[in-house]
Short mmCIF file of all heavy atoms in Angstrom, two decimals:
data_model
loop_
_atom_site.label_atom_id
_atom_site.label_comp_id
_atom_site.label_asym_id
_atom_site.label_seq_id
_atom_site.Cartn_x
_atom_site.Cartn_y
_atom_site.Cartn_z
N PRO A 1237 0.81 -1.21 0.02
CA PRO A 1237 -0.05 0.04 -0.03
C PRO A 1237 0.80 1.24 -0.01
O PRO A 1237 0.50 2.31 -0.60
CB PRO A 1237 -0.79 -0.07 1.31
CG PRO A 1237 -0.90 -1.58 1.59
CD PRO A 1237 0.52 -2.15 1.11
N ALA A 1238 2.02 1.27 0.64
CA ALA A 1238 2.80 2.47 0.61
C ALA A 1238 3.80 2.50 -0.45
O ALA A 1238 4.45 3.49 -0.80
CB ALA A 1238 3.55 2.60 2.00
N GLY A 1239 3.94 1.34 -1.22
CA GLY A 1239 4.89 1.29 -2.38
C GLY A 1239 5.85 0.24 -2.15
O GLY A 1239 6.28 -0.17 -1.06
N TYR A 1240 6.48 -0.14 -3.28
CA TYR A 1240 7.64 -1.12 -3.19
C TYR A 1240 8.82 -0.56 -2.56
O TYR A 1240 9.20 0.53 -2.88
CB TYR A 1240 7.87 -1.57 -4.63
CG TYR A 1240 8.99 -2.60 -5.00
CD1 TYR A 1240 8.90 -3.80 -4.21
CD2 TYR A 1240 10.15 -2.23 -5.74
CE1 TYR A 1240 10.02 -4.72 -4.35
CE2 TYR A 1240 11.09 -3.17 -5.90
CZ TYR A 1240 11.07 -4.39 -5.27
OH TYR A 1240 12.05 -5.37 -5.51
N PRO A 1241 9.35 -1.23 -1.55
CA PRO A 1241 10.44 -0.60 -0.75
C PRO A 1241 11.65 -0.05 -1.57
O PRO A 1241 12.04 1.07 -1.25
CB PRO A 1241 10.88 -1.76 0.15
CG PRO A 1241 9.61 -2.57 0.35
CD PRO A 1241 8.86 -2.55 -0.95
N ALA A 1242 12.01 -0.76 -2.57
CA ALA A 1242 13.18 -0.29 -3.41
C ALA A 1242 12.73 0.94 -4.06
O ALA A 1242 13.64 1.92 -4.29
CB ALA A 1242 13.66 -1.30 -4.31
N LEU A 1243 11.54 1.12 -4.52
CA LEU A 1243 11.10 2.36 -5.20
C LEU A 1243 11.07 3.44 -4.34
O LEU A 1243 11.39 4.57 -4.61
CB LEU A 1243 9.71 2.02 -5.93
CG LEU A 1243 9.16 3.28 -6.78
CD1 LEU A 1243 10.19 3.89 -7.71
CD2 LEU A 1243 7.93 2.85 -7.44
N ARG A 1244 10.43 3.19 -3.10
CA ARG A 1244 10.37 4.30 -2.13
C ARG A 1244 11.85 4.74 -1.74
O ARG A 1244 12.02 6.04 -1.65
CB ARG A 1244 9.65 3.82 -0.79
CG ARG A 1244 8.21 3.37 -1.08
CD ARG A 1244 7.77 2.80 0.20
NE ARG A 1244 7.42 3.67 1.17
CZ ARG A 1244 7.18 3.28 2.46
NH1 ARG A 1244 7.11 2.09 2.88
NH2 ARG A 1244 6.97 4.26 3.48
N ASP A 1245 12.76 3.90 -1.67
CA ASP A 1245 14.16 4.26 -1.44
C ASP A 1245 14.75 5.18 -2.59
O ASP A 1245 15.36 6.19 -2.26
CB ASP A 1245 14.86 3.00 -1.29
CG ASP A 1245 16.42 3.38 -0.81
OD1 ASP A 1245 16.60 3.88 0.26
OD2 ASP A 1245 17.33 3.10 -1.66
N ARG A 1246 14.37 4.75 -3.83
CA ARG A 1246 14.91 5.57 -4.88
C ARG A 1246 14.34 6.90 -4.99
O ARG A 1246 14.97 7.93 -5.24
CB ARG A 1246 14.69 4.87 -6.27
CG ARG A 1246 15.18 3.52 -6.55
CD ARG A 1246 16.73 3.53 -6.45
NE ARG A 1246 17.29 2.32 -7.11
CZ ARG A 1246 17.39 1.01 -6.50
NH1 ARG A 1246 16.77 0.89 -5.27
NH2 ARG A 1246 17.82 0.10 -7.04
N ILE A 1247 13.02 7.05 -4.71
CA ILE A 1247 12.28 8.44 -4.65
C ILE A 1247 12.94 9.13 -3.59
O ILE A 1247 13.17 10.43 -3.73
CB ILE A 1247 10.83 8.20 -4.50
CG1 ILE A 1247 10.23 7.49 -5.80
CG2 ILE A 1247 10.12 9.51 -4.22
CD1 ILE A 1247 8.84 7.00 -5.58
N ALA A 1248 13.20 8.64 -2.42
CA ALA A 1248 13.74 9.42 -1.24
C ALA A 1248 15.17 9.84 -1.67
O ALA A 1248 15.48 11.05 -1.46
CB ALA A 1248 13.79 8.45 -0.05
N GLY A 1249 15.93 9.07 -2.33
CA GLY A 1249 17.18 9.47 -2.80
C GLY A 1249 17.12 10.66 -3.73
O GLY A 1249 17.92 11.60 -3.77
N LYS A 1250 16.18 10.60 -4.72
CA LYS A 1250 15.98 11.65 -5.67
C LYS A 1250 15.65 12.99 -5.00
O LYS A 1250 16.17 13.98 -5.33
CB LYS A 1250 14.96 11.31 -6.73
CG LYS A 1250 14.60 12.35 -7.67
CD LYS A 1250 13.20 12.13 -8.44
CE LYS A 1250 12.88 13.15 -9.40
NZ LYS A 1250 13.03 14.57 -8.92
N LEU A 1251 14.69 12.87 -4.10
CA LEU A 1251 14.19 14.10 -3.39
C LEU A 1251 15.41 14.69 -2.52
O LEU A 1251 15.57 15.94 -2.50
CB LEU A 1251 13.07 13.79 -2.52
CG LEU A 1251 11.74 14.08 -3.06
CD1 LEU A 1251 11.36 15.58 -3.29
CD2 LEU A 1251 11.45 13.31 -4.32
N THR A 1252 16.17 13.82 -1.94
CA THR A 1252 17.27 14.33 -1.13
C THR A 1252 18.28 15.04 -2.04
O THR A 1252 18.82 16.11 -1.78
CB THR A 1252 18.00 13.19 -0.43
OG1 THR A 1252 16.98 12.53 0.50
CG2 THR A 1252 19.21 13.64 0.43
N THR A 1253 18.61 14.47 -3.23
CA THR A 1253 19.45 15.13 -4.16
C THR A 1253 18.97 16.41 -4.68
O THR A 1253 19.68 17.50 -4.87
CB THR A 1253 19.70 14.19 -5.38
OG1 THR A 1253 20.29 12.97 -4.97
CG2 THR A 1253 20.62 14.90 -6.44
N ASP A 1254 17.67 16.55 -4.81
CA ASP A 1254 16.94 17.77 -5.23
C ASP A 1254 16.86 18.89 -4.22
O ASP A 1254 16.57 20.05 -4.42
CB ASP A 1254 15.59 17.46 -5.72
CG ASP A 1254 15.47 16.64 -7.03
OD1 ASP A 1254 16.62 16.53 -7.64
OD2 ASP A 1254 14.51 16.07 -7.24
N GLY A 1255 17.22 18.41 -2.89
CA GLY A 1255 17.27 19.43 -1.86
C GLY A 1255 16.32 19.15 -0.62
O GLY A 1255 16.46 19.87 0.35
N ARG A 1256 15.40 18.22 -0.78
CA ARG A 1256 14.50 17.93 0.41
C ARG A 1256 15.10 16.60 0.99
O ARG A 1256 14.85 15.53 0.34
CB ARG A 1256 13.07 17.72 -0.05
CG ARG A 1256 12.20 17.25 1.16
CD ARG A 1256 10.73 17.19 0.89
NE ARG A 1256 10.11 16.74 2.09
CZ ARG A 1256 8.80 17.01 2.45
NH1 ARG A 1256 8.11 17.70 1.60
NH2 ARG A 1256 8.41 16.59 3.59
N VAL A 1257 15.63 16.60 2.13
CA VAL A 1257 16.29 15.48 2.78
C VAL A 1257 15.04 14.50 3.18
O VAL A 1257 14.06 14.97 3.86
CB VAL A 1257 17.02 15.88 3.90
CG1 VAL A 1257 17.46 14.56 4.78
CG2 VAL A 1257 18.21 16.76 3.65
N THR A 1258 15.08 13.38 2.55
CA THR A 1258 13.89 12.42 2.64
C THR A 1258 14.31 11.06 3.02
O THR A 1258 15.30 10.49 2.42
CB THR A 1258 13.04 12.46 1.37
OG1 THR A 1258 12.78 13.76 0.92
CG2 THR A 1258 11.82 11.63 1.47
N ALA A 1259 13.53 10.34 3.88
CA ALA A 1259 13.73 8.91 4.15
C ALA A 1259 12.67 8.07 3.31
O ALA A 1259 11.61 8.64 3.14
CB ALA A 1259 13.65 8.75 5.64
N ALA A 1260 12.97 6.86 3.10
CA ALA A 1260 12.08 5.99 2.38
C ALA A 1260 10.77 6.00 3.13
O ALA A 1260 9.64 5.92 2.43
CB ALA A 1260 12.69 4.69 2.23
N GLU A 1261 10.73 6.07 4.43
CA GLU A 1261 9.41 5.98 5.30
C GLU A 1261 8.59 7.17 5.07
O GLU A 1261 7.51 7.16 5.48
CB GLU A 1261 9.72 5.68 6.76
CG GLU A 1261 10.49 4.41 7.05
CD GLU A 1261 12.06 4.43 6.60
OE1 GLU A 1261 12.60 5.54 6.45
OE2 GLU A 1261 12.57 3.31 6.46
N GLU A 1262 9.09 8.17 4.45
CA GLU A 1262 8.32 9.34 4.26
C GLU A 1262 7.84 9.46 2.84
O GLU A 1262 7.30 10.63 2.37
CB GLU A 1262 9.23 10.65 4.47
CG GLU A 1262 9.72 10.74 5.92
CD GLU A 1262 10.79 11.85 6.17
OE1 GLU A 1262 11.67 11.94 5.23
OE2 GLU A 1262 10.84 12.60 7.20
#
């Protein structure tokens, strides 16, 4: 329901690179 863990991790990494520090759980 929250998303495939590896994809959540990749999205968190992208947002962190873009300037918003993000964890996969967010």
Side-chain angles (χ1 to χ4, degrees):
Y1240 180 53
L1243 180 55
R1244 296 172 74 192
D1245 184 67
R1246 298 301 197 284
I1247 294 168
K1250 175 195 181 314
L1251 266 291
T1252 299
T1253 301
D1254 292 343
R1256 173 174 185 158
V1257 178
T1258 305
E1261 295 76 19
E1262 297 170 321

